[in-house]
Amino acid sequence: SVCYGADAAGLARLQRAADAGAIEAVVAAMQAHPQEAEVQEEGCGALASVCYGADGAGLARIQRAADAGAVEAVAAAMQAYPQEAEVQRQGCWALRNVCS
């Protein structure tokens, strides 16, 4: 993942992704392709990653994700694919980061 890393450089990449509109783009992709389990899985993982961080910037990314409909998109993915373990795993991770 291009945004992986909890060090300063990794957090800067997360912020760059958010500033570029990645959060909204991921939510839009999940909404546009609800029939694609892989889009849902990867979307949940991307949201989980970009919503990492408890500093001011991290909390702002989390709020931005919530405002963009990330909670609803993740919940819809998990409801649509209850037998897909990776959708469920990534969805739990995303909700953990967005809702904590």
Side-chain angles (χ1 to χ4, degrees), residues 39-90:
V39 171
Q40 303 306 307
E41 175 188 332
E42 297 297 337
C44 287
L47 289 169
S49 292
V50 80
C51 291
Y52 176 81
D55 61 346
L59 295 175
R61 289 191 302 273
I62 290 167
Q63 186 59 53
R64 186 170 176 172
D67 292 345
V71 173
E72 294 81 3
V74 171
M78 294 178 75
Q79 291 167 352
Y81 296 98
Q83 300 303 316
E84 294 287 338
E86 281 302 307
V87 172
Q88 299 302 308
R89 186 177 77 78
Q90 297 287 355

Side-chain angles (χ1 to χ4, degrees), residues 12-29:
R13 289 189 300 273
L14 292 175
Q15 192 58 48
R16 251 178 105 181
D19 291 345
I23 293 168
E24 294 82 2
V26 168
V27 171

